């Protein structure tokens, strides 16, 4: 057993874990954070996507002990996040949800796209959004609703920024 100290969703966590324990298993089994889904367990499907030190990461291929001192944020840690609330509403409005298995990882990746690439406002950027989503597999939706939801959030956030700039000027 190895001692592990990290921050999960803003809370300090200390635990003794087997060195072979993957972060996804640690989050699900030891922390009860079942929003982190396990699909392929090879880092391909994206269902296990979490935020690790501010960057989306596959938790199924990351050993928990390698995350010593890290900041981990699971889908449960985004409850009060304004961007995530906006994305959740857009996913619902654009019918980007079906079975829901991929949704937590998809939302975390979508949040990264929206915050990292706010200039992708034009519908012509659909190809870029699809490339950004390539590491998250969905077997139900065909991605159209997911892409539209991300485009909606990008567009609405850009409109708010433009309006704020007009008010300031």
């Amino acid at each position: 057993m190895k001692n592990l100290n990290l921050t999960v969703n803003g809370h300090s966590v200390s635990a003794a874990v087997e060195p072979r324990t993957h972060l996804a298993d640690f989050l699900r089994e030891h922390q009860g954070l079942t929003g982190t889904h396990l699909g392929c367990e090879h880092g391909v499907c994206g269902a296990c996507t979490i935020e690790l030190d501010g960057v989306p990461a596959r938790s199924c291929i990351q050993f928990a002990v390698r995350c010593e001192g890290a900041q981990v944020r699971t889908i449960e840690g985004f409850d009060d996040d304004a961007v995530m609330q906006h994305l959740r509403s857009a996913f619902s409005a654009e019918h980007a949800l079906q079975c829901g298995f991929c949704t937590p990882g998809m939302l975390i990746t979508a949040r990264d796209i929206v915050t990292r690439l706010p200039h992708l406002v034009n519908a012509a950027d659909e190809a870029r959004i699809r490339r950004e989503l390539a590491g998250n597999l969905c077997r139900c939706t065909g991605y159209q609703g997911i892409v539209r939801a991300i485009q909606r959030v990008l567009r609405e956030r850009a409109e708010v920024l433009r309006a704020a700039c007009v008010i300031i000027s």
Side-chain angles (χ1 to χ4, degrees):
M1 297 289 258
K2 296 269 187 177
N3 288 326
L4 173 64
N5 298 292
L6 68 160
T7 303
V8 179
N9 296 334
H11 303 287
S12 294
V13 173
S14 295
V17 296
E18 292 289 336
R20 67 178 178 267
T21 303
H22 288 104
L23 181 58
D25 294 323
F26 173 75
L27 294 169
R28 290 181 60 81
E29 296 168 17
H30 298 269
Q31 300 301 302
L33 298 168
T34 56
T36 302
H37 294 165
L38 286 171
C40 68
E41 298 188 55
H42 295 284
V44 176
C45 74
C48 69
T49 302
I50 49 99
E51 200 178 79
L52 182 61
D53 291 331
V55 179
R58 303 296 190 257
S59 60
C60 74
I61 57 173
Q62 184 74 251
F63 288 116
V65 294
R66 300 269 307 178
C67 298
E68 176 68 29
Q71 300 280 326
V72 175
R73 200 169 181 194
T74 67
I75 194 68
E76 293 92 344
F78 287 96
D79 286 346
D80 295 329
D81 184 271
V83 176
M84 189 62 80
Q85 289 173 356
H86 199 171
L87 280 163
R88 286 175 174 159
S89 294
F91 267 56
S92 183
E94 296 295 341
H95 308 288
L97 310 162
Q98 282 190 20
C99 82
F101 190 78
C102 72
T103 304
M106 211 51 97
L107 281 167
I108 290 173
T109 300
R111 184 184 180 283
D112 177 64
I113 293 167
V114 167
T115 58
R116 186 173 44 85
L117 304 168
H119 60 281
L120 293 180
V121 176
N122 300 326
D125 292 320
E126 177 180 348
R128 175 67 185 270
I129 291 170
R130 286 180 178 271
R131 276 194 311 278
E132 294 285 333
L133 289 172
N136 293 78
L137 304 179
C138 177
R139 294 183 176 178
C140 301
T141 66
Y143 301 93
Q144 293 91 347
I146 296 167
V147 171
R148 281 194 315 264
I150 294 169
Q151 287 175 320
R152 173 187 278 223
V153 171
L154 286 165
R155 187 175 55 251
E156 290 172 357
R157 288 174 57 87
E159 289 169 7
V160 168
L161 286 174
R162 275 194 295 276
C165 289
V166 169
I167 291 171
I168 292 172
S169 323

